[in-house]
Amino acid sequence: MAVLCKPAIEVPEYVITNEETLELARRLHGDHPQLELALRLIEHTGVQKRHLIQPIEKVLQHPGLDDRSATYEAHTKARVPAVVRRALDHAELEPQQIDMIVYVSCTGFMMPPPTAWLIDTMGFRPETRQLPIAQLGCAAGGAAINRAHDFCTAYPEANALVVACEFCSLCYQPTDLGVGSLLSNGLFGDGIAAAVIRGNGGTGVRLERNGSYIIPGTEEWISYAVRSTGFHFQLDKRVPGTMEPLAPALQAVAEQHQWNASKMDFYIIHAGGPRILDDLSLFLDVPPEAFRFSRATLTEYGNIASAVVLDALARMFDEASALEGHRGLMAGFGPGITAEIALGTWTSESEV
């Protein structure tokens, strides 16, 4: 079975702390009628700092969609290759051994996709399949793992590379003044992650089953309004309560595999915010400590969208707490409202 190897992570060099975010909100929105509510929400995110590809002063300028698109492409090409190389090193593979690249990003747009550029410049074979995913938001990290798993199931000897590149700061919109937008300005950060799914051998999570679920009637709860100024993020206030209907969906996928989602040895969950993790802990009946990897990502990097699940997984590798045969559940949540769910078992088997 396919094995998800240790991810590689990179966050950019510019840092903004939560205290700086709060002070910035006070300075920019001092006359906002709901400022105090927004400040309380930002304070309770649990985010201590976030990383940005540009200084905050430049982010606030918003020079227009043309400039932002050029910035997205330039930083993608400058930053992604090093992360990809580290992910390949973790999996002990070379670019020529990769059969498919799944590339996910919801914070910028390129066509041809970045997969074509990577194949052309990093030594991947011209026959390498491409699967760019642009519209699943934060759920795309889970979707990327699942689509790579599907590919390796269809082609058991194949290897797939997953890349998540998110520059959320390029979606800042100074004219969006709703409480949800102000909260997002204090929650999202920039980050890049990559990981290899090996069809044969490797150390990591042996992927065994995956599934998807959409909560009916929630299509507009997480969305983009695409305007001449770029992507305007829209967040419904009901989103934090979505774990109550999603927890049974996670349980259902586990039950299909004759597992119990409440009795896993490890959990890799998208950290959309503290309420998401708190509620999922409640509805799955698991201790809060079970989500420590996701909470650490949220605290140190903020919500880095599709890259969260890969960063949380990398933290589990670093902790070295998983033992042979340990069972785990991974899940990403995003627009739709969509859940992408995966089950797997820790393995350290050598190549066979």
Side-chain angles (χ1 to χ4, degrees):
M1 291 185 180
V3 173
L4 174 57
C5 300
K6 181 178 181 178
I9 313 296
E10 180 191 287
V11 290
E13 61 273 25
Y14 298 102
V15 176
I16 182 168
T17 66
N18 198 43
E19 292 75 15
E20 291 168 336
T21 298
L22 293 169
E23 181 55 37
L24 191 63
R26 295 186 185 98
R27 176 163 61 85
L28 295 176
H29 309 293
D31 58 352
H32 194 291
Q34 293 181 292
L35 177 62
E36 291 305 315
L37 171 60
L39 293 176
R40 287 199 303 273
L41 292 173
I42 293 172
E43 282 183 305
H44 290 126
T45 59
V47 178
Q48 292 184 0
K49 63 178 175 66
R50 294 170 293 143
H51 293 251
L52 312 174
I53 60 171
Q54 303 177 107
I56 186 60
E57 296 78 13
K58 194 164 185 179
V59 172
L60 296 175
Q61 289 173 5
H62 191 357
L65 181 57
D66 289 359
D67 187 272
R68 281 189 166 177
S69 295
T71 299
Y72 175 88
E73 181 170 350
H75 281 270
T76 295
K77 291 181 175 180
R79 297 175 184 272
V80 168
V83 184
V84 167
R85 289 190 192 96
R86 293 206 312 272
L88 291 168
D89 288 344
H90 290 330
E92 301 182 315
L93 294 179
E94 297 296 327
Q96 297 85 355
Q97 296 172 278
I98 296 297
D99 301 285
M100 182 172 75
I101 302 175
V102 185
Y103 189 101
V104 297
S105 179
C106 63
T107 52
F109 182 81
M110 290 170 59
M111 192 172 74
T115 47
W117 180 81
L118 288 171
I119 291 168
D120 200 39
T121 59
M122 289 194 66
F124 296 97
R125 303 190 329 275
E127 298 85 1
T128 306
R129 277 98 157 169
Q130 305 173 69
L131 181 57
I133 301 175
Q135 294 159 297
L136 277 176
C138 297
I145 292 169
N146 289 348
R147 300 297 75 79
H149 177 205
D150 293 342
F151 178 77
C152 291
T153 300
Y155 302 94
E157 300 299 315
N159 302 307
L161 170 70
V162 167
V163 183
C165 177
E166 301 290 12
F167 303 144
C168 300
S169 61
L170 294 180
C171 296
Y172 169 72
Q173 297 289 349
T175 59
D176 291 352
L177 300 177
V179 171
S181 295
L182 297 183
L183 171 60
S184 299
N185 294 341
L187 178 63
F188 286 92
D190 299 347
I192 301 168
V196 170
I197 291 86
R198 287 187 54 146
N200 189 19
T203 293
V205 181
R206 186 175 65 238
L207 300 171
E208 299 186 29
R209 179 180 290 271
N210 67 64
S212 300
Y213 183 80
I214 290 182
I215 306 175
T218 61
E219 179 184 348
E220 297 180 356
W221 288 19
I222 301 175
S223 63
Y224 273 165
V226 182
R227 301 172 183 153
S228 59
T229 46
F231 303 145
H232 292 250
F233 184 63
Q234 301 175 137
L235 183 69
D236 190 281
K237 65 181 180 181
R238 291 170 288 185
V239 169
T242 51
M243 290 304 102
E244 186 170 5
L246 283 182
L250 271 60
Q251 286 280 18
V253 172
E255 288 170 1
Q256 291 168 11
H257 206 54
Q258 298 184 325
W259 289 5
N260 184 342
S262 300
K263 303 294 183 183
M264 297 294 182
D265 299 299
F266 62 87
Y267 295 84
I268 305 298
I269 305 296
H270 173 71
R275 170 80 183 276
I276 297 295
L277 298 176
D278 291 344
D279 280 7
L280 193 57
S281 172
L282 172 67
F283 294 119
L284 280 186
D285 190 25
V286 299
E289 174 68 10
F291 300 148
R292 61 190 179 279
F293 308 116
S294 303
R295 292 185 189 278
T297 298
L298 185 65
T299 298
E300 295 180 26
Y301 297 156
N303 184 341
I304 50 175
S306 64
V308 167
V309 290
L310 293 172
D311 182 76
L313 179 62
R315 293 172 188 272
M316 188 180 80
F317 272 85
D318 290 339
E319 187 182 86
S321 56
L323 302 177
E324 189 75 26
H326 271 189
R327 296 174 173 180
L329 182 150
M330 296 180 285
F333 312 117
I337 285 175
T338 301
E340 284 284 341
I341 308 152
L343 303 177
T345 302
W346 183 265
T347 182
S348 56
E349 66 183 20
S350 58
E351 187 170 354
V352 296

Coordinates of all heavy atoms in Angstrom, one line a residue, residues 5-12 78-93 95 122 124 161-162 191-196 301 311 314:
C5 N 5.1 9.8 3.2 CA 6.4 10.0 3.9 C 6.4 11.3 4.6 O 5.5 12.2 4.4 CB 7.5 9.9 2.9 SG 7.6 8.3 2.0
K6 N 7.5 11.6 5.3 CA 7.6 12.8 6.0 C 7.6 14.1 5.1 O 8.3 14.2 4.2 CB 9.0 12.9 6.8 CG 9.1 14.1 7.7 CD 10.4 14.1 8.4 CE 10.5 15.4 9.3 NZ 11.8 15.4 10.1
P7 N 6.7 15.0 5.5 CA 6.6 16.3 4.7 C 7.7 17.2 5.0 O 8.4 17.2 6.0 CB 5.2 16.9 5.2 CG 4.5 15.8 5.8 CD 5.6 14.9 6.4
A8 N 8.0 18.1 4.0 CA 8.9 19.2 4.2 C 8.1 20.5 4.2 O 7.1 20.6 3.5 CB 9.9 19.3 3.0
I9 N 8.5 21.4 5.1 CA 7.7 22.6 5.3 C 8.6 23.8 5.2 O 9.8 23.8 5.6 CB 7.1 22.6 6.8 CG1 6.4 21.3 7.1 CG2 6.2 23.8 7.0 CD1 5.2 21.0 6.2
E10 N 8.1 24.9 4.7 CA 8.8 26.2 4.8 C 7.8 27.3 5.0 O 6.7 27.4 4.4 CB 9.5 26.5 3.5 CG 10.3 27.8 3.5 CD 10.8 28.3 2.2 OE1 11.7 27.7 1.7 OE2 10.2 29.3 1.6
V11 N 8.1 28.2 6.0 CA 7.4 29.4 6.1 C 8.3 30.6 5.8 O 9.5 30.5 6.1 CB 6.8 29.5 7.6 CG1 5.7 28.5 7.8 CG2 7.9 29.3 8.6
P12 N 7.8 31.7 5.3 CA 8.6 32.8 4.9 C 9.2 33.6 6.0 O 8.8 33.4 7.2 CB 7.7 33.6 4.0 CG 6.3 33.2 4.3 CD 6.4 31.8 4.8
A78 N 10.4 30.9 -6.6 CA 11.6 31.1 -5.8 C 11.6 30.2 -4.6 O 12.7 29.8 -4.1 CB 11.6 32.5 -5.3
R79 N 10.4 29.8 -4.1 CA 10.4 29.1 -2.8 C 10.0 27.6 -2.9 O 10.4 26.8 -2.0 CB 9.3 29.8 -1.9 CG 9.7 31.2 -1.5 CD 8.6 31.9 -0.7 NE 8.9 33.3 -0.5 CZ 9.6 33.8 0.6 NH1 10.1 33.0 1.5 NH2 9.8 35.1 0.8
V80 N 9.2 27.2 -3.8 CA 8.7 25.8 -3.9 C 9.8 24.8 -4.1 O 9.8 23.7 -3.5 CB 7.5 25.7 -4.9 CG1 7.2 24.2 -5.1 CG2 6.3 26.4 -4.3
P81 N 10.7 25.0 -5.1 CA 11.7 24.0 -5.4 C 12.4 23.4 -4.2 O 12.7 22.2 -4.1 CB 12.6 24.6 -6.4 CG 11.7 25.6 -7.1 CD 10.8 26.2 -6.0
A82 N 12.9 24.3 -3.3 CA 13.7 23.8 -2.1 C 12.8 22.9 -1.2 O 13.3 21.9 -0.7 CB 14.2 25.0 -1.3
V83 N 11.5 23.2 -1.1 CA 10.7 22.4 -0.3 C 10.4 21.0 -1.0 O 10.5 20.0 -0.3 CB 9.3 23.1 -0.1 CG1 8.4 22.3 0.9 CG2 9.5 24.5 0.5
V84 N 10.3 21.0 -2.3 CA 10.1 19.8 -3.0 C 11.3 18.9 -2.9 O 11.2 17.7 -2.7 CB 9.8 20.1 -4.5 CG1 10.0 18.8 -5.4 CG2 8.4 20.7 -4.7
R85 N 12.5 19.5 -3.0 CA 13.8 18.7 -2.9 C 13.9 18.1 -1.5 O 14.3 16.9 -1.4 CB 15.0 19.6 -3.1 CG 15.1 20.1 -4.5 CD 16.5 20.8 -4.8 NE 16.5 21.5 -6.1 CZ 16.2 22.7 -6.2 NH1 16.0 23.5 -5.2 NH2 16.3 23.3 -7.4
R86 N 13.5 18.8 -0.5 CA 13.5 18.2 0.9 C 12.5 17.1 1.0 O 12.8 16.0 1.7 CB 13.3 19.3 2.0 CG 14.4 20.3 2.1 CD 14.5 20.9 3.4 NE 13.2 21.3 4.0 CZ 12.7 22.6 3.7 NH1 13.3 23.4 2.9 NH2 11.5 22.9 4.2
A87 N 11.4 17.2 0.5 CA 10.4 16.2 0.5 C 10.8 14.9 -0.2 O 10.7 13.8 0.3 CB 9.0 16.6 -0.1
L88 N 11.5 15.1 -1.4 CA 12.1 14.0 -2.1 C 13.2 13.3 -1.3 O 13.3 12.1 -1.2 CB 12.6 14.4 -3.4 CG 11.6 14.9 -4.5 CD1 12.2 15.6 -5.6 CD2 10.7 13.7 -5.0
D89 N 14.0 14.1 -0.6 CA 15.1 13.5 0.2 C 14.5 12.7 1.4 O 15.0 11.6 1.7 CB 15.9 14.7 0.8 CG 16.8 15.3 -0.3 OD1 17.0 14.7 -1.3 OD2 17.3 16.4 0.0
H90 N 13.4 13.2 2.0 CA 12.7 12.5 3.1 C 12.3 11.1 2.6 O 12.3 10.1 3.3 CB 11.5 13.3 3.6 CG 11.9 14.5 4.4 ND1 13.1 14.6 5.1 CD2 11.2 15.7 4.6 CE1 13.1 15.8 5.7 NE2 12.0 16.5 5.4
A91 N 11.8 11.1 1.4 CA 11.3 9.8 0.8 C 12.4 9.0 0.1 O 12.1 7.9 -0.3 CB 10.2 10.1 -0.2
E92 N 13.6 9.5 0.1 CA 14.7 8.8 -0.5 C 14.4 8.5 -2.0 O 14.7 7.4 -2.5 CB 15.1 7.6 0.2 CG 15.5 7.8 1.7 CD 15.9 6.6 2.4 OE1 15.2 5.6 2.3 OE2 16.9 6.6 3.1
L93 N 13.9 9.5 -2.7 CA 13.6 9.4 -4.1 C 14.2 10.5 -4.9 O 14.5 11.6 -4.3 CB 12.1 9.3 -4.4 CG 11.3 8.1 -3.8 CD1 9.8 8.2 -4.2 CD2 11.9 6.8 -4.4
P95 N 13.7 13.1 -8.5 CA 12.5 13.5 -9.4 C 12.1 12.6 -10.4 O 10.9 12.4 -10.7 CB 13.1 14.8 -10.0 CG 14.1 15.3 -9.0 CD 14.7 14.1 -8.4
M122 N 12.9 20.9 -12.8 CA 13.5 20.2 -11.6 C 13.9 18.7 -12.0 O 14.2 18.0 -11.1 CB 12.5 20.2 -10.4 CG 12.4 21.6 -9.8 SD 11.6 21.4 -8.2 CE 12.8 20.5 -7.2
F124 N 11.9 16.3 -13.4 CA 10.9 15.3 -13.5 C 10.7 14.8 -14.9 O 11.0 15.6 -15.8 CB 9.5 15.8 -13.0 CG 9.6 16.2 -11.5 CD1 9.8 17.5 -11.1 CD2 9.3 15.3 -10.5 CE1 9.8 17.9 -9.8 CE2 9.4 15.6 -9.2 CZ 9.6 16.9 -8.8
L161 N 3.9 13.0 -5.8 CA 4.4 14.1 -5.0 C 3.2 15.1 -4.8 O 2.5 15.4 -5.7 CB 5.5 14.9 -5.7 CG 5.9 16.2 -5.2 CD1 6.6 16.1 -3.8 CD2 6.8 17.0 -6.2
V162 N 3.0 15.5 -3.5 CA 2.0 16.4 -3.1 C 2.7 17.8 -2.8 O 3.6 17.8 -2.0 CB 1.1 15.9 -2.0 CG1 0.3 17.0 -1.4 CG2 0.3 14.7 -2.4
G191 N 2.6 29.7 3.8 CA 3.4 28.6 4.0 C 3.4 27.6 2.8 O 2.5 27.7 2.0
I192 N 4.4 26.8 2.7 CA 4.6 25.8 1.7 C 4.9 24.5 2.3 O 5.6 24.4 3.3 CB 5.7 26.2 0.7 CG1 5.5 27.6 0.1 CG2 5.9 25.1 -0.4 CD1 6.7 28.1 -0.6
A193 N 4.3 23.4 1.8 CA 4.5 22.1 2.3 C 4.5 21.1 1.1 O 3.9 21.3 0.1 CB 3.5 21.7 3.3
A194 N 5.3 20.1 1.2 CA 5.4 19.0 0.2 C 5.6 17.7 0.8 O 6.3 17.6 1.9 CB 6.4 19.3 -0.9
A195 N 5.1 16.6 0.2 CA 5.3 15.3 0.7 C 5.2 14.3 -0.4 O 4.5 14.5 -1.4 CB 4.4 14.9 1.8
V196 N 5.9 13.2 -0.3 CA 5.8 12.1 -1.3 C 5.0 10.9 -0.8 O 5.1 10.6 0.4 CB 7.3 11.6 -1.6 CG1 7.2 10.3 -2.5 CG2 8.1 12.7 -2.3
Y301 N 2.1 29.2 13.3 CA 2.0 29.6 11.9 C 0.6 30.2 11.5 O 0.5 30.8 10.4 CB 2.3 28.5 10.9 CG 3.6 27.9 11.0 CD1 3.9 26.6 10.6 CD2 4.7 28.6 11.5 CE1 5.1 26.0 10.6 CE2 6.0 28.0 11.6 CZ 6.2 26.7 11.1 OH 7.5 26.2 11.2
D311 N 1.9 20.1 7.6 CA 2.7 20.6 8.7 C 2.4 19.8 10.0 O 3.4 19.5 10.7 CB 2.5 22.1 8.9 CG 3.4 22.7 10.0 OD1 4.6 22.9 9.7 OD2 2.9 22.9 11.1
A314 N 4.1 16.6 9.7 CA 5.6 16.7 9.9 C 5.9 16.8 11.4 O 6.9 16.3 11.9 CB 6.1 17.9 9.2

